[in-house]
Amino acid sequence: MRRVFVANRGEIAVRVIRACRELGVEVVLGVSEADRDALPARLADRAVCIGPAPSPKSYLRPELLVTAAAATGCDAVHPGYGFLSERAAFARACNEMNLAFIGPSADAIDAMGDKLSAIRLAKQAGVPVVPGSDKLSSLADVQAAAQRVGYPCLMKASAGGGGRGMRIVRAPDELAGAFESAQAEAEAAFGDATVYLEKFIERAKHIEFQIMGDQHGNLVHLFERDCSVQRRHQKLIEEAPSPILPPARRAEMADAALALARAVGYFSAGTVEFVYDAETDEFYFLEMNTRIQVEHPVTEMITGVDLVQEQIRVAAGERLSFRQQDLAIRGHAIECRVNAEDPRHGFRPAPGRLQVWQPPSLPGIRLDTHCYEGYLIPPFYDSMIAKLIAHGEDRQQAIALALGALQGFRVEGITTTMPLHQDILSSHAFRDAEVTTRWLEASFLPEWQQAALAAQEVA
């Protein structure tokens, strides 16, 4: 593999470019008009404009990206995460142009892309699944399913993720409104209004297992991540390993993740996500992400494996560079997603120019970002501007390192979520590992926002 086309932007584009550089591989980057002067464009060997700023006219146009990759003499395409990374049609389009898709097979993406299909495959592989329904096409179907599943239940879109098309239903009189709004949101987001019901677990932890496979049948897991600090089903803080998972349950969940991956002949990087009920010590399959995850750095920090480089090697036909017995958990890592948002005012987007950008330079701290002083954060894309990762000998040290780095991170010109991250890391619930997926919104955030607004008024 001599030249890779990066079909993405922001920090993941920088991450892929640097991995390619370390492997001696050239990089061509596709950029929108808004990203011509961004850091990834400066780092790539060549950048080609793929269209206007809006994603549907640039980063979400598979035919344009594949044509640009072939025209610039690339051997492969790395989709990053988001955008087209989990579109089987994009993987097939790459293959049809003799471009290696740096990810799993299109068939595996198809199998895991539809949640109901993934649940059926998980059942066949012997993986525990949340009690629920098949697809629901009418309100009568929804009412019957809710009676079987019981309340509270969770209405979910079959075709997508990120919390879109998802509604918690606690009583029968909420069903009709939830069904209508979930279908509308799913149709708008994914072009598919199919929804289904699942049992809602009140005190749920979000535990996911990183897997990696090659095209020769070798498949391993790289342990788990705890991603329970969430707002609207979007992760804010991730850590590895989970601070609450018993060793026996870790082994059982890892085996389940590998069983599902084997069932679809999986290769490349992927993540199998589970809901873990801390009260009953039971776990259930949630979904599988057939791409590199935003939070992959915490796994890299505790294992010493460069997941993106391994993806590239696998796409080139190489075998995994390590075996399961070579992997061990080393210390503890925590990642904070730094967003250009104002958490005091409903996480209002805060694009603008970075007048000051002075990240900390401390032992044990890694920063994945595409930002620099003077950079103009555009309003067209996801608001994440950096990922701050702390790696310590144990969880207590990782928390202390993360707090020190956040406190020393100088940013002026925009508002970020870093003050919120500091207070979450300092909270008793987080330090005692009592956080659930509902904790931030239901318990912590209302009081935090009220106190932050009061402090702003005083100032």
Side-chain angles (χ1 to χ4, degrees), residues 138-165:
S138 69
L139 181 57
D141 290 341
V142 172
Q143 291 168 333
Q147 191 170 4
R148 290 194 307 271
V149 173
Y151 295 94
C153 55
L154 190 62
M155 192 169 295
K156 301 176 74 171
S158 175
R164 289 172 291 184

Side-chain angles (χ1 to χ4, degrees), residues 134-136 155-158 165 179 182-183 186 193-197:
D134 207 330
K135 63 180 180 181
L136 304 168
M155 192 169 295
K156 301 176 74 171
S158 175
F179 181 51
Q183 279 194 314
T194 305
V195 297
Y196 64 103
L197 281 181

Side-chain angles (χ1 to χ4, degrees), residues 86-88 104-125 127 157-161 196 211 256-257 259-267 269-273 285-291:
E86 292 183 283
R87 302 280 183 90
S105 69
D107 288 344
I109 296 173
D110 265 337
M112 293 293 107
D114 180 272
K115 291 182 180 179
L116 286 171
S117 168
I119 289 170
R120 286 192 289 270
L121 284 166
K123 287 181 179 178
Q124 293 170 13
V127 178
S158 175
Y196 64 103
I211 62 167
L260 180 61
R262 288 193 189 96
V264 292
Y266 198 88
F267 57 83
T271 301
V272 181
E273 302 190 348
F285 170 70
L286 181 62
E287 64 182 352
M288 184 176 185
N289 289 304
T290 53
R291 53 172 167 77

Side-chain angles (χ1 to χ4, degrees), residues 207-212 220-226 239-242 245 250-251 253-254 257-258 270-272 274 298-299 302-305 323-330:
I207 308 289
E208 60 188 34
F209 275 74
Q210 177 71 57
I211 62 167
M212 177 69 74
V220 301
H221 73 84
L222 293 94
F223 310 105
E224 83 280 2
R225 299 183 286 257
D226 192 318
E239 58 184 312
S242 168
L245 205 59
R250 171 180 291 124
M253 294 174 76
L258 292 174
T271 301
V272 181
F274 297 99
V298 291
T299 296
I302 67 163
T303 61
V305 173
R323 300 164 300 172
Q324 190 68 66
Q325 56 264 40
D326 299 326
L327 299 170
I329 296 173
R330 300 184 298 186

Side-chain angles (χ1 to χ4, degrees), residues 62 87-94 106 110:
R87 302 280 183 90
F90 183 49
R92 290 192 177 97
C94 290
D110 265 337

